[in-house]
């Protein structure tokens, strides 16, 4: 009998098999390229398509399979494939689905490097890309063309945090025969279930919350049964594979994902609320705040919020901006997020083509780490006070 399990339980129990590894709790790191067969009969059996017993290290090993299995189960998808980075998972999910002459619709608030791939690489391959207003919802139907093959969504938007109505857009896309790919790094499969909401391929930059400790780069794409064979074929054809040591770190991070996210969520929200009240802050961009434009969609679709959000500071001189960052003691200045530590970074003015970014003032991305929330609030408040 299989009891139904909450995701927090799945995190602890899935993707490991102690009996197989002399009782070891964790699946060991399997390093290797060649996998020997005992005889030709066994070798031939391994080569059959879909055989989970891989014939070569590039197709995976027990460490890889453990993480793929755990993520696929969390996402509620058919199967998952690991990539060497989150960006690689995004770009290869797109490449799996498109061909020359196709049209792709992408959210205007997409992660910058994914946008760059679309405008620089997809266009070079003869794939047209248009960007849509992240708030468009079912209005997406007006942008669909007979050759629209993929709708690429990311909610909330990178840097600007607009929530998107994924189910409404998925209905439009599917009615027109297009695929839906989602970058779900912000919410993780703990807080948003893309496949349940109509997404065909769900992508995670595992570098962020799944690894959780800023010590490895990794991506994962999870497909429903319909999209899986295309994703798998592209991953094979492009030679996409992930290093076993990084996969091990991701498995290790995964086990504590639930408790870490609860704390990131609470810390982020407390910090966001405190910043909202500060006179140097014009606007806080965080869908879990009741006044946020995306709050209703967030409440309807998400089970929680991560620790990443944005704030728009009052217009500021460059020296004052530098002074603010120098004054921060607990927030590191750096890219990425999802680790245990807090970060803050001024963002370039968002590149837009469908919905212009009209906010004046400096956009700052904040990641609330696992420090005590009161300390984070005190630190940011004193730095803002300093430039007031
Ligand atoms: C960081 C990030 C990525 C890319 O992940 P890498 O592992 O750094 O390549 C993709 N999408 C989003 C939303 C991200 O924040």
């Amino acid at each position: 009998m299989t009891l139904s399990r909450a995701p927090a339980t799945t995190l602890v129990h899935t993707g490991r098999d102690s009996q197989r590894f002399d009782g070891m709790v964790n699946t060991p790191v399997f390093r290797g390229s060649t996998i020997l067969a005992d005889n030709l009969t066994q070798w031939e059996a391994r080569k059959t398509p879909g055989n989970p017993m891989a014939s070569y290290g590039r197709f995976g090993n027990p460490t890889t399979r453990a993480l793929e299995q755990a993520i696929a189960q969390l996402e509620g998808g058919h199967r998952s494939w690991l990539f060497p980075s989150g960006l690689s998972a995004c770009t290869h999910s797109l490449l799996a689905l498109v061909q020359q002459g196709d049209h792709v619709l992408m959210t205007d608030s997409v992660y910058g490097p994914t946008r760059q791939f679309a405008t620089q690489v997809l266009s070079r391959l003869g794939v047209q890309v248009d960007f849509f207003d992240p708030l468009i919802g079912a209005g997406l139907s007006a942008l669909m063309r007979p050759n629209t093959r993929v709708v690429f969504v990311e909610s909330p938007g990178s840097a600007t945090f607009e929530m998107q109505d994924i189910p409404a857009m998925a209905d439009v896309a599917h009615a027109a025969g297009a695929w839906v790919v989602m970058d779900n790094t912000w919410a993780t499969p703990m807080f948003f279930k893309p496949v349940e909401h109509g997404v065909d391929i769900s992508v995670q930059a595992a570098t962020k919350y799944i690894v959780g400790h800023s010590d490895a780069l990794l991506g994962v794409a999870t497909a429903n049964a319909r999209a899986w064979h295309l994703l798998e074929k592209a991953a094979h054809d492009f030679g996409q594979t992930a290093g076993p040591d990084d996969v091990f770190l991701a498995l290790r991070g995964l086990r504590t994902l639930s408790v870490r996210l609860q704390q990131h969520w609470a810390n982020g929200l407390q910090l966001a609320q405190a910043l909202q009240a500060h006179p140097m802050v014009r606007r806080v961009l965080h869908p879990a705040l009741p006044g946020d434009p995306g709050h209703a969609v967030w409440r309807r679709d998400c089970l929680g919020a991560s620790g990443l959000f944005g704030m728009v500071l009052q217009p500021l001189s460059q020296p004052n901006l530098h002074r603010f960052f120098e004054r921060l003691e607990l927030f590191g200045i750096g890219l990425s997020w999802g680790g245990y530590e807090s970060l803050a970074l001024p963002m370039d003015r968002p590149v837009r083509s469908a919905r212009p970014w009209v906010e004046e003032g400096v956009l700052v991305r904040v990641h609330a780490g696992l420090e005590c929330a009161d300390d984070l609030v005190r630190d940011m408040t004193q730095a803002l006070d300093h430039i007031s």
Side-chain angles (χ1 to χ4, degrees), residues 75 85-90 110-111 114 152-158 161 181-194 201-212 218-221 257 260-261 264 304-308 336-339 365 367:
E75 293 262 11
S85 71
L87 181 59
S88 172
C90 290
V110 75
Y111 177 64
T114 305
F152 192 101
V153 297
E154 182 186 334
S155 181
S158 264
F161 299 93
V181 180
M182 177 172 190
D183 184 335
N184 187 39
T185 302
W186 183 84
T188 84
M190 297 301 287
F191 287 160
F192 183 75
K193 304 282 185 197
I201 298 182
S202 169
V203 175
Q204 276 288 307
T207 305
K208 310 290 166 60
Y209 283 117
I210 291 175
V211 165
L218 199 71
V220 54
L257 179 63
R260 284 188 287 109
L261 274 176
H264 285 294
S306 71
L308 190 79
S336 199
W337 44 275
R365 192 178 71 180
H367 181 246

Side-chain angles (χ1 to χ4, degrees), residues 31 33 42 55 79 88 96 98-99 118 152 188 204 210 230 239 258 274 301 315-316 325 329 339 356 362 379 384:
R31 296 191 190 88
S33 50
Q42 193 186 60
S55 56
R79 282 186 62 184
S88 172
V98 295
Q99 57 187 22
F152 192 101
T188 84
Q204 276 288 307
I210 291 175
L230 292 171
S258 179
D301 293 346
L316 215 57
F325 277 93
E329 290 179 5
V362 183
D379 190 34
L384 287 170

Side-chain angles (χ1 to χ4, degrees), residues 41-383:
T41 310
Q42 193 186 60
W43 177 248
E44 293 298 332
R46 274 190 195 167
K47 288 198 303 179
T48 54
N51 187 341
M53 193 169 57
S55 56
Y56 185 42
R58 198 173 65 220
F59 304 129
N61 60 46
T63 317
T64 320
R65 289 283 111 77
L67 182 60
E68 286 171 358
Q69 187 198 340
I71 303 281
Q73 189 163 336
L74 275 178
E75 293 262 11
H78 178 62
R79 282 186 62 184
S80 303
W81 190 268
L82 301 178
F83 293 86
S85 71
L87 181 59
S88 172
C90 290
T91 57
H92 288 91
S93 295
L94 281 162
L95 288 170
L97 303 175
V98 295
Q99 57 187 22
Q100 187 182 16
D102 282 347
H103 176 236
V104 169
L105 283 169
M106 191 171 267
T107 174
D108 215 10
S109 57
V110 75
Y111 177 64
T114 305
R115 185 186 193 102
Q116 169 115 342
F117 172 80
T119 56
Q120 306 289 309
V121 182
L122 286 183
S123 61
R124 186 147 48 79
L125 300 179
V127 176
Q128 284 182 313
V129 183
D130 280 321
F131 294 91
F132 60 83
D133 178 348
L135 306 182
I136 200 167
L140 188 71
S141 59
L143 303 182
M144 298 295 293
R145 297 191 201 159
N147 61 338
T148 305
R149 188 73 53 222
V150 177
V151 174
F152 192 101
V153 297
E154 182 186 334
S155 181
S158 264
T160 47
F161 299 93
E162 300 94 337
M163 288 300 295
Q164 290 158 45
D165 191 341
I166 307 296
M169 289 192 283
D171 284 349
V172 168
H174 290 155
W179 300 99
V180 181
V181 180
M182 177 172 190
D183 184 335
N184 187 39
T185 302
W186 183 84
T188 84
M190 297 301 287
F191 287 160
F192 183 75
K193 304 282 185 197
V195 177
E196 276 175 24
H197 289 85
V199 170
D200 299 295
I201 298 182
S202 169
V203 175
Q204 276 288 307
T207 305
K208 310 290 166 60
Y209 283 117
I210 291 175
V211 165
H213 296 72
S214 307
D215 52 6
L217 289 151
L218 199 71
V220 54
T222 304
N224 59 16
R226 221 161 52 89
W228 169 250
H229 69 285
L230 292 171
L231 177 68
E232 186 186 33
K233 178 143 186 6
H236 283 200
D237 288 346
F238 285 105
Q240 291 298 297
T241 190
D245 294 281
D246 294 337
V247 175
F248 181 86
L249 288 173
L251 273 166
R252 182 172 158 138
L254 191 72
R255 305 302 176 195
T256 57
L257 179 63
S258 179
V259 284
R260 284 188 287 109
L261 274 176
Q262 292 295 330
Q263 201 60 46
H264 285 294
W265 176 12
N267 285 6
L269 202 54
Q270 187 180 328
L271 184 58
Q273 275 158 344
L275 291 171
Q276 248 182 338
H278 199 283
M280 281 307 290
V281 179
R282 278 169 90 98
R283 216 187 126 188
V284 177
L285 314 166
H286 192 316
L289 287 174
D292 190 88
H295 189 64
V297 173
W298 176 78
R299 276 188 61 160
R300 186 193 67 186
D301 293 346
C302 293
L303 304 167
S306 71
L308 190 79
F309 63 94
M311 64 173 168
V312 182
L313 297 179
Q314 303 288 4
L316 215 57
S317 69
Q318 268 315 95
N320 262 346
L321 185 64
H322 282 245
R323 236 171 258 136
F324 168 66
F325 277 93
E326 265 156 41
R327 189 80 181 199
L328 289 172
E329 290 179 5
L330 299 178
F331 292 83
I333 303 170
L335 282 174
S336 199
W337 44 275
Y340 54 81
E341 81 287 13
S342 290
L343 298 168
L345 199 65
M347 305 302 282
D348 291 336
R349 201 168 172 79
V351 176
R352 289 305 181 87
S353 39
R355 168 177 282 255
W357 183 249
V358 293
E359 294 286 342
E360 302 287 329
V362 183
L363 180 59
V364 175
R365 192 178 71 180
V366 179
H367 181 246
L370 300 178
E371 299 93 334
C372 168
D374 293 338
D375 288 337
L376 295 179
V377 169
R378 261 194 299 275
D379 190 34
M380 242 212 199
T381 306
Q382 63 81 25

